[in-house]
PDB file of all heavy atoms in Angstrom:
ATOM      1  N   THR A 185      -3.796  14.079  -1.734  1.00 96.00           N
ATOM      2  CA  THR A 185      -3.557  15.263  -0.904  1.00 96.00           C
ATOM      3  C   THR A 185      -3.799  14.916   0.565  1.00 96.00           C
ATOM      4  O   THR A 185      -4.686  14.131   0.899  1.00 96.00           O
ATOM      5  CB  THR A 185      -4.474  16.450  -1.306  1.00 96.00           C
ATOM      6  OG1 THR A 185      -5.829  15.986  -1.354  1.00 96.00           O
ATOM      7  CG2 THR A 185      -4.093  17.005  -2.659  1.00 96.00           C
ATOM      8  N   CYS A 186      -2.996  15.517   1.427  1.00 97.00           N
ATOM      9  CA  CYS A 186      -3.051  15.263   2.864  1.00 97.00           C
ATOM     10  C   CYS A 186      -4.364  15.786   3.451  1.00 97.00           C
ATOM     11  O   CYS A 186      -4.774  16.907   3.157  1.00 97.00           O
ATOM     12  CB  CYS A 186      -1.853  15.939   3.535  1.00 97.00           C
ATOM     13  SG  CYS A 186      -1.908  15.880   5.339  1.00 97.00           S
ATOM     14  N   GLU A 187      -4.998  14.959   4.279  1.00 96.00           N
ATOM     15  CA  GLU A 187      -6.273  15.381   4.883  1.00 96.00           C
ATOM     16  C   GLU A 187      -6.083  16.424   5.974  1.00 96.00           C
ATOM     17  O   GLU A 187      -7.017  17.115   6.360  1.00 96.00           O
ATOM     18  CB  GLU A 187      -7.002  14.156   5.470  1.00 96.00           C
ATOM     19  CG  GLU A 187      -7.597  13.254   4.399  1.00 96.00           C
ATOM     20  CD  GLU A 187      -8.401  12.107   4.986  1.00 96.00           C
ATOM     21  OE1 GLU A 187      -8.583  12.061   6.220  1.00 96.00           O
ATOM     22  OE2 GLU A 187      -8.836  11.248   4.194  1.00 96.00           O
ATOM     23  N   LYS A 188      -4.855  16.525   6.477  1.00 97.00           N
ATOM     24  CA  LYS A 188      -4.597  17.472   7.565  1.00 97.00           C
ATOM     25  C   LYS A 188      -4.165  18.843   7.045  1.00 97.00           C
ATOM     26  O   LYS A 188      -4.613  19.865   7.533  1.00 97.00           O
ATOM     27  CB  LYS A 188      -3.520  16.910   8.505  1.00 97.00           C
ATOM     28  CG  LYS A 188      -3.931  15.643   9.229  1.00 97.00           C
ATOM     29  CD  LYS A 188      -4.537  15.947  10.592  1.00 97.00           C
ATOM     30  CE  LYS A 188      -5.180  14.714  11.211  1.00 97.00           C
ATOM     31  NZ  LYS A 188      -4.181  13.699  11.598  1.00 97.00           N
ATOM     32  N   CYS A 189      -3.261  18.868   6.045  1.00 98.00           N
ATOM     33  CA  CYS A 189      -2.707  20.158   5.608  1.00 98.00           C
ATOM     34  C   CYS A 189      -3.034  20.475   4.152  1.00 98.00           C
ATOM     35  O   CYS A 189      -2.783  21.584   3.700  1.00 98.00           O
ATOM     36  CB  CYS A 189      -1.191  20.195   5.839  1.00 98.00           C
ATOM     37  SG  CYS A 189      -0.278  19.018   4.830  1.00 98.00           S
ATOM     38  N   LYS A 191      -1.604  19.474   1.502  1.00 97.00           N
ATOM     39  CA  LYS A 191      -0.459  19.381   0.583  1.00 97.00           C
ATOM     40  C   LYS A 191      -0.467  18.017  -0.093  1.00 97.00           C
ATOM     41  O   LYS A 191      -1.093  17.073   0.385  1.00 97.00           O
ATOM     42  CB  LYS A 191       0.852  19.541   1.363  1.00 97.00           C
ATOM     43  CG  LYS A 191       1.157  20.968   1.754  1.00 97.00           C
ATOM     44  CD  LYS A 191       2.516  21.019   2.456  1.00 97.00           C
ATOM     45  CE  LYS A 191       2.698  22.333   3.207  1.00 97.00           C
ATOM     46  NZ  LYS A 191       3.741  22.217   4.232  1.00 97.00           N
ATOM     47  N   GLU A 192       0.292  17.939  -1.201  1.00 96.00           N
ATOM     48  CA  GLU A 192       0.403  16.651  -1.887  1.00 96.00           C
ATOM     49  C   GLU A 192       1.158  15.653  -1.018  1.00 96.00           C
ATOM     50  O   GLU A 192       2.184  15.987  -0.420  1.00 96.00           O
ATOM     51  CB  GLU A 192       1.143  16.828  -3.221  1.00 96.00           C
ATOM     52  CG  GLU A 192       0.209  17.273  -4.326  1.00 96.00           C
ATOM     53  CD  GLU A 192       0.886  17.260  -5.690  1.00 96.00           C
ATOM     54  OE1 GLU A 192       1.820  16.456  -5.888  1.00 96.00           O
ATOM     55  OE2 GLU A 192       0.470  18.062  -6.532  1.00 96.00           O
ATOM     56  N   ILE A 193       0.632  14.430  -0.949  1.00 97.00           N
ATOM     57  CA  ILE A 193       1.310  13.376  -0.197  1.00 97.00           C
ATOM     58  C   ILE A 193       2.515  12.907  -1.021  1.00 97.00           C
ATOM     59  O   ILE A 193       2.422  12.771  -2.252  1.00 97.00           O
ATOM     60  CB  ILE A 193       0.350  12.191   0.078  1.00 97.00           C
ATOM     61  CG1 ILE A 193      -0.842  12.677   0.922  1.00 97.00           C
ATOM     62  CG2 ILE A 193       1.092  11.057   0.777  1.00 97.00           C
ATOM     63  CD1 ILE A 193      -1.949  11.637   1.096  1.00 97.00           C
ATOM     64  N   GLU A 194       3.650  12.700  -0.341  1.00 97.00           N
ATOM     65  CA  GLU A 194       4.865  12.260  -1.009  1.00 97.00           C
ATOM     66  C   GLU A 194       4.586  11.011  -1.845  1.00 97.00           C
ATOM     67  O   GLU A 194       3.958  10.060  -1.368  1.00 97.00           O
ATOM     68  CB  GLU A 194       5.957  11.946   0.033  1.00 97.00           C
ATOM     69  CG  GLU A 194       6.399  13.161   0.848  1.00 97.00           C
ATOM     70  CD  GLU A 194       5.443  13.511   1.985  1.00 97.00           C
ATOM     71  OE1 GLU A 194       4.419  12.828   2.139  1.00 97.00           O
ATOM     72  OE2 GLU A 194       5.722  14.485   2.715  1.00 97.00           O
ATOM     73  N   ARG A 197       5.611   7.736  -0.402  1.00 97.00           N
ATOM     74  CA  ARG A 197       4.677   7.268   0.633  1.00 97.00           C
ATOM     75  C   ARG A 197       3.466   6.583  -0.015  1.00 97.00           C
ATOM     76  O   ARG A 197       3.031   5.535   0.423  1.00 97.00           O
ATOM     77  CB  ARG A 197       4.231   8.465   1.490  1.00 97.00           C
ATOM     78  CG  ARG A 197       3.181   8.133   2.528  1.00 97.00           C
ATOM     79  CD  ARG A 197       3.121   9.238   3.561  1.00 97.00           C
ATOM     80  NE  ARG A 197       1.900   9.192   4.352  1.00 97.00           N
ATOM     81  CZ  ARG A 197       1.690   8.339   5.351  1.00 97.00           C
ATOM     82  NH1 ARG A 197       2.609   7.459   5.648  1.00 97.00           N
ATOM     83  NH2 ARG A 197       0.557   8.373   6.031  1.00 97.00           N
ATOM     84  N   ALA A 204      -2.797   5.816   1.851  1.00 97.00           N
ATOM     85  CA  ALA A 204      -2.408   6.830   2.833  1.00 97.00           C
ATOM     86  C   ALA A 204      -3.303   8.060   2.724  1.00 97.00           C
ATOM     87  O   ALA A 204      -3.610   8.514   1.629  1.00 97.00           O
ATOM     88  CB  ALA A 204      -0.949   7.226   2.630  1.00 97.00           C
ATOM     89  N   ARG A 205      -3.727   8.593   3.878  1.00 97.00           N
ATOM     90  CA  ARG A 205      -4.637   9.745   3.876  1.00 97.00           C
ATOM     91  C   ARG A 205      -3.948  11.039   4.250  1.00 97.00           C
ATOM     92  O   ARG A 205      -4.548  12.108   4.152  1.00 97.00           O
ATOM     93  CB  ARG A 205      -5.788   9.474   4.855  1.00 97.00           C
ATOM     94  CG  ARG A 205      -6.630   8.270   4.426  1.00 97.00           C
ATOM     95  CD  ARG A 205      -7.533   7.794   5.533  1.00 97.00           C
ATOM     96  NE  ARG A 205      -8.497   8.822   5.898  1.00 97.00           N
ATOM     97  CZ  ARG A 205      -9.447   8.636   6.810  1.00 97.00           C
ATOM     98  NH1 ARG A 205      -9.562   7.465   7.418  1.00 97.00           N
ATOM     99  NH2 ARG A 205     -10.288   9.592   7.107  1.00 97.00           N
ATOM    100  N   THR A 206      -2.712  10.924   4.741  1.00 97.00           N
ATOM    101  CA  THR A 206      -1.979  12.117   5.185  1.00 97.00           C
ATOM    102  C   THR A 206      -0.537  12.063   4.681  1.00 97.00           C
ATOM    103  O   THR A 206      -0.039  11.001   4.333  1.00 97.00           O
ATOM    104  CB  THR A 206      -1.939  12.209   6.717  1.00 97.00           C
ATOM    105  OG1 THR A 206      -1.387  10.984   7.222  1.00 97.00           O
ATOM    106  CG2 THR A 206      -3.315  12.419   7.311  1.00 97.00           C
ATOM    107  N   CYS A 207       0.121  13.227   4.670  1.00 97.00           N
ATOM    108  CA  CYS A 207       1.537  13.290   4.308  1.00 97.00           C
ATOM    109  C   CYS A 207       2.370  12.691   5.445  1.00 97.00           C
ATOM    110  O   CYS A 207       1.845  12.418   6.521  1.00 97.00           O
ATOM    111  CB  CYS A 207       1.944  14.737   4.028  1.00 97.00           C
ATOM    112  SG  CYS A 207       1.884  15.808   5.491  1.00 97.00           S
ATOM    113  N   VAL A 208       3.668  12.510   5.193  1.00 96.00           N
ATOM    114  CA  VAL A 208       4.554  11.889   6.190  1.00 96.00           C
ATOM    115  C   VAL A 208       4.519  12.687   7.502  1.00 96.00           C
ATOM    116  O   VAL A 208       4.441  12.127   8.587  1.00 96.00           O
ATOM    117  CB  VAL A 208       6.014  11.810   5.652  1.00 96.00           C
ATOM    118  CG1 VAL A 208       6.969  11.427   6.756  1.00 96.00           C
ATOM    119  CG2 VAL A 208       6.091  10.807   4.510  1.00 96.00           C
ATOM    120  N   GLU A 209       4.536  13.993   7.371  1.00 96.00           N
ATOM    121  CA  GLU A 209       4.550  14.874   8.547  1.00 96.00           C
ATOM    122  C   GLU A 209       3.307  14.685   9.435  1.00 96.00           C
ATOM    123  O   GLU A 209       3.389  14.782  10.650  1.00 96.00           O
ATOM    124  CB  GLU A 209       4.613  16.326   8.060  1.00 96.00           C
ATOM    125  CG  GLU A 209       5.170  17.287   9.079  1.00 96.00           C
ATOM    126  CD  GLU A 209       5.084  18.722   8.569  1.00 96.00           C
ATOM    127  OE1 GLU A 209       5.295  18.937   7.357  1.00 96.00           O
ATOM    128  OE2 GLU A 209       4.762  19.589   9.384  1.00 96.00           O
ATOM    129  N   HIS A 210       2.161  14.417   8.792  1.00 97.00           N
ATOM    130  CA  HIS A 210       0.919  14.278   9.558  1.00 97.00           C
ATOM    131  C   HIS A 210       0.473  12.830   9.747  1.00 97.00           C
ATOM    132  O   HIS A 210      -0.683  12.585  10.079  1.00 97.00           O
ATOM    133  CB  HIS A 210      -0.190  15.108   8.893  1.00 97.00           C
ATOM    134  CG  HIS A 210       0.112  16.572   8.900  1.00 97.00           C
ATOM    135  ND1 HIS A 210       0.492  17.264   7.778  1.00 97.00           N
ATOM    136  CD2 HIS A 210       0.125  17.458   9.928  1.00 97.00           C
ATOM    137  CE1 HIS A 210       0.723  18.533   8.104  1.00 97.00           C
ATOM    138  NE2 HIS A 210       0.508  18.671   9.397  1.00 97.00           N
ATOM    139  N   ALA A 211       1.375  11.901   9.498  1.00 91.00           N
ATOM    140  CA  ALA A 211       1.027  10.483   9.629  1.00 91.00           C
ATOM    141  C   ALA A 211       0.794  10.130  11.092  1.00 91.00           C
ATOM    142  O   ALA A 211       1.437  10.691  11.968  1.00 91.00           O
ATOM    143  CB  ALA A 211       2.127   9.608   9.042  1.00 91.00           C
TER     144      ALA A 211
END
Side-chain angles (χ1 to χ4, degrees):
T185 51
C186 173
E187 287 184 5
K188 296 267 170 69
C189 66
K191 284 183 196 160
E192 276 188 28
I193 299 172
E194 296 80 359
R197 175 163 163 78
R205 297 166 63 177
T206 55
C207 66
V208 169
E209 203 185 322
H210 297 106

